[in-house]
Every structure is written in C-alpha cells, then in structure tokens.
Amino acid sequence: MDLSKIISRKNEAASYMVKEITHIIKTFEKRSPGSKGEKQSCEYMAKVLKEECGCDKADVESFKERPGAFYGWLFFTLTFVLAAIALFFFLPAASIVLIVVGLGIALLEFGTYKKVVDPFFKEKTGHNVTAIKKCTGETKRRIIFNGHPDAAWEWPVNYKLGGVGFEGHAIICGLGAIYYLVLSIISLSKNGFSFGQIDLADPLAKAALWGLIFVPFIIGLYFMVNYRRVVDGANDNLSGCYMGISILKFLKDEGIELENTELGVILTGSEEAGLRGAKAWCEAHKGEFDDVPTFIFSYDTIHDPKYLMVNYRDLNATVAADKDVSDLFMEAAKEIGVPCQKGMVPPLGGATDSAAFAQAGFRATGITGLNHKLEDYYHTRRDTYDNMNEEGLAGCFAVSVKALEMFDNGAKQ
C-alpha cells in the first residue's frame, strides 16, 4: 500500500490535532488520573474513533486504581529520612534502618514503578479506550497507536526553575539521605548501639550538624507535586492520543482500506500515576493480540521536532523496547527525511506507557518529542493548547504513516 497521499497531508493533520485538543481542554473537566475529566475525554475520543475514524469498535473500559500512591511514596520516604536525621544523634542504628527503608520505597515506587504503598491511598476508577479497525481481508499483522489521555498534577519547582532546578532539588535530597546513611554507618561501627547525649566535639556530630543544610531541601520535596492544580496536558499527552486518531481519520477521509493490516488505537489512562492504565490494559487483554505480529507505537509529549526520538530503553532506562518496532520507526524517518534520534528515557526520566507494554510481553516502543532535560512546560500550567508545535506534530505524523506503510508492505515481521 502506498500512503504518500496521507503523508503529504501532514500539516492538515497537525492542525486537526491542535483543533481537537483545544476542544477537549476547553470542554471537559481537568483530567487528573482517575478523574471525571479523564473519563469524559476517553468517552469523547472513543466516539471520534467510532464515528469519524471508521473503527469497528471503540470501547471505554474501566479499572480500579489508587493514583495517589505514585507520588505518595514521597511522604513515607521523606518522613523516614527526616526522622533518621534526628535519630542519628541518639541511635544511629535506627537511622540506618529508616534511611534504607525510605530509599527502598523510593527505588521501588519511582525507580521501577512497583505498587508498594497503594493500600494507604484512596481507590478510584480509571478509564482506557480500545479501538480496532479491521482490515478488508485476512488479518496478517496489526499495528496499534497509543497515547494517554490523563494530565499531570503540576510540579511547582519545574514551573519556577525549569528542569535543572527540579532535578537538582531531587538530587540534593538524595545526596542528603546518602550523607546521613554514611555517617550513621560510621557511627555504628565506631560506637556500637549507643544511646546517649550528643558529644558536639565528636567530628561525626559536627559533620551531622553541617548536614542539616539538607533539611530545608528535604522538607521542600514534600511539595514537589501540587495536587490542587492539574495541568491542561495538551502536549503531555493529548498529542500522543491524537497521533493515532489522526492517522485513522485521514485514512478514512481518503477512503483507504488496508487488506491485511488491522489498525488499533488504545488510550491508556492514569499514566501520570505510574502507568496504571497501561498495566491494567495489559492484564485485561493478555493473550488477545498474539494471533499475528502486533506492533505498538506509544507516543508521549510530541512537541519539539528537534527532539523527536525513539526510546530504545524506558522506565528510567531499566526496560528494553522491542528492537524491530523501534528500528521500523527510525527507518521510516530516514526514508522520508524527518530527523529522528535514537535514545532512551534516562534514569530519573520516569517512563512512558511503552514500558508497561514491554513488561507484559507486547512488542512496543516509546516515541517522544521533548527534551529529556525537562523544559519548563513539562508538568506545568504552560502545557497548553496554544503552546503546541505543529511542525513537531506534522513530522511525527508523517513518520508514523510511513512506518505503517512499510509495516503493511511486510517490513520487520
């Protein structure tokens, strides 16, 4: 199948995306994970997929989650570390235990997205969308486009200081915890399980007092997330949702039907709460798409064209994406002359839904269009419909359509 006619309409597609994204933001409630607004946007996009994109089905699916837990680990870790700092002067062994447990929670919750503290948070209902457009003949392959409809709670430090300030703040807090862990270990080895008065003449005590400079930063990290402000999430990640929707819509508008390639769009909610929706979708659809080669392109924050990237590793660089899926996008970009980088979601960079699909055994890769050294619009009130980049959207659309064309013609199977 030759899809060059669709590729040539990339600028129209970008304008369509911005128009639709603007409508969602202006019309529906804020889309925090597990919110009414998330559900409203899912229902609206499912309707678009059914009525304007020719999908045979577009189902809105619910799942149970505890979205507050994803950032809720901060309250446990920070409280444990602050308690450890106080206890260092009296019982360093307790400090060691508290810091190790606190950092362990942080590593599991943010480092690997494990559900550790979920039981302490309120249960809510999140929503996904599964839309399928069947091919005209025998299904021999399947390609699915993915985005997440929910939006983030604001990160105030990133809004005020940008990514350098935001990440620097987190790193300083981590160093503070390690600093007191080392002091506690030295004190325990030197003095044993002592419990007594502080000897301010002791070099360790002096070092610990100097270390109190970390305390304001640690306390400040309690306010890393502002739950009272939900951002518009135009780029992150209605842009990802509408990448797949626009491809199906423009195919329908041109009257193009694929003979042996089934198309899908899945919108997985609550990504901002630790990939909750994608993980729920994988559980609900386990084994459902194993009949033919199935590739998933997961889009997240398609904005700046100079940062269009295929992420060969995801989830803080701990999860490998499928090489064939990743290579297909890179080759498609090269074929039509759209600049695209080979990269990864780095440590401290979080994750895209691609990681959840990969962990569940699906063949997936993550496509991003942002600087992983965070810009000040990322997770802030600046992520608005009038701060979108149509050039970036158009380029990603063109590459995605070319990848579909190459896949339909038998590439990477």
Side-chain angles (χ1 to χ4, degrees):
M1 178 67 70
D2 180 4
L3 299 181
S4 57
K5 193 171 184 179
I6 305 295
I7 295 172
S8 69
R9 297 184 65 188
K10 62 182 182 179
N11 293 327
E12 294 176 60
S15 296
Y16 166 75
M17 289 184 228
V18 173
K19 179 182 176 182
E20 281 289 290
I21 289 168
T22 301
H23 171 74
I24 288 177
I25 291 172
K26 286 186 173 182
T27 304
F28 304 125
E29 296 182 25
K30 295 291 188 179
R31 308 182 321 278
S32 58
S35 66
K36 182 179 179 181
E38 180 190 75
K39 181 183 179 183
Q40 290 171 333
S41 64
C42 283
E43 291 172 340
Y44 174 78
M45 287 185 280
K47 183 179 179 181
V48 170
L49 284 160
K50 184 79 172 179
E51 298 179 358
E52 299 182 24
C53 301
C55 288
D56 299 280
K57 75 167 189 175
D59 300 330
V60 179
E61 305 162 351
S62 64
F63 60 92
K64 295 299 181 181
E65 61 170 332
R66 299 177 187 270
F70 182 61
Y71 290 114
W73 65 266
L74 282 165
F75 300 105
F76 290 87
T77 296
L78 298 176
T79 301
F80 287 172
V81 170
L82 288 172
I85 291 173
L87 284 171
F88 166 81
F89 297 98
F90 307 99
L91 196 60
S95 294
I96 294 172
V97 172
L98 287 170
I99 294 174
V100 169
V101 171
L103 293 180
I105 291 172
L107 178 63
L108 290 170
E109 280 283 357
F110 180 73
T112 64
Y113 283 38
K114 300 294 184 183
K115 300 176 183 179
V116 179
V117 298
D118 278 49
F120 297 96
F121 293 87
K122 182 180 179 180
E123 184 178 78
K124 292 187 177 182
T125 301
H127 291 86
N128 295 329
V129 174
T130 302
I132 298 295
K133 180 177 174 57
K134 296 178 181 178
C135 48
T136 59
E138 178 189 358
T139 301
K140 295 182 179 180
R141 64 194 71 84
R142 181 182 297 109
I143 192 164
I144 295 174
F145 304 104
N146 164 252
H148 71 82
D150 61 304
W153 299 285
E154 186 169 62
W155 290 356
V157 175
N158 200 46
Y159 173 65
K160 295 291 186 181
L161 303 178
V164 173
F166 177 82
E167 293 181 356
H169 183 197
I171 290 170
I172 289 170
C173 292
L175 291 175
I178 297 298
Y179 181 83
Y180 276 98
L181 177 61
V182 171
L183 290 183
S184 297
I185 292 172
I186 295 173
S187 179
L188 183 64
S189 64
K190 179 180 177 182
N191 303 316
F193 294 87
S194 60
F195 184 87
Q197 298 296 316
I198 304 171
D199 181 5
L200 296 180
D202 189 330
L204 281 176
K206 291 181 179 179
L209 290 173
W210 275 106
L212 294 177
I213 195 172
F214 290 110
V215 170
F217 293 96
I218 295 172
I219 293 174
L221 207 60
Y222 277 109
F223 307 98
M224 187 190 93
V225 181
N226 180 5
Y227 290 100
R228 292 172 295 179
R229 180 184 286 273
V230 180
V231 307
D232 286 344
N235 295 284
D236 184 14
N237 184 37
L238 289 177
S239 67
C241 295
Y242 267 90
M243 196 57 59
I245 292 172
S246 62
I247 292 171
L248 267 65
K249 175 175 169 51
F250 277 70
L251 286 170
K252 184 175 184 294
D253 288 351
E254 292 291 341
I256 295 175
E257 299 280 347
L258 302 182
E259 183 178 359
N260 301 117
T261 303
E262 186 173 272
L263 300 176
V265 171
I266 54 177
L267 310 176
T268 41
S270 300
E271 188 268 356
E272 302 294 0
L275 316 184
R276 296 299 206 259
K279 290 183 178 183
W281 188 92
C282 291
E283 291 177 10
H285 295 273
K286 184 178 181 180
E288 188 175 329
F289 298 104
D290 293 344
D291 53 334
V292 295
T294 299
F295 283 13
I296 300 176
F297 289 111
S298 185
Y299 301 93
D300 203 325
T301 317
I302 306 304
H303 183 75
D304 195 328
K306 69 175 176 288
Y307 292 117
L308 182 63
M309 178 180 292
V310 179
N311 294 276
Y312 280 69
R313 298 196 68 83
D314 211 313
L315 213 174
N316 299 305
T318 65
V319 175
D322 185 277
K323 187 176 186 303
D324 286 339
V325 184
S326 303
D327 286 348
L328 176 60
F329 197 91
M330 290 292 296
E331 290 170 14
K334 184 178 180 181
E335 188 74 18
I336 61 174
V338 174
C340 185
Q341 304 175 45
K342 178 179 180 179
M344 66 177 179
V345 180
L348 298 181
T352 73
D353 280 328
S354 168
F357 298 127
Q359 288 177 320
F362 290 91
R363 302 181 69 182
T365 195
I367 310 300
T368 54
L370 79 162
N371 185 356
H372 284 311
K373 295 179 181 178
L374 302 180
E375 305 282 358
D376 64 4
Y377 72 86
Y378 185 74
H379 287 196
T380 76
R381 67 196 73 178
R382 295 187 178 96
D383 188 3
T384 57
Y385 58 80
D386 55 357
N387 185 25
M388 301 192 73
N389 190 314
E390 292 198 21
E391 182 185 352
L393 292 170
C396 185
F397 173 86
V399 177
S400 300
V401 175
K402 186 63 179 180
L404 170 59
E405 177 189 284
M406 294 168 67
F407 186 67
D408 183 61
N409 292 330
K412 298 296 179 183
Q413 297 167 50

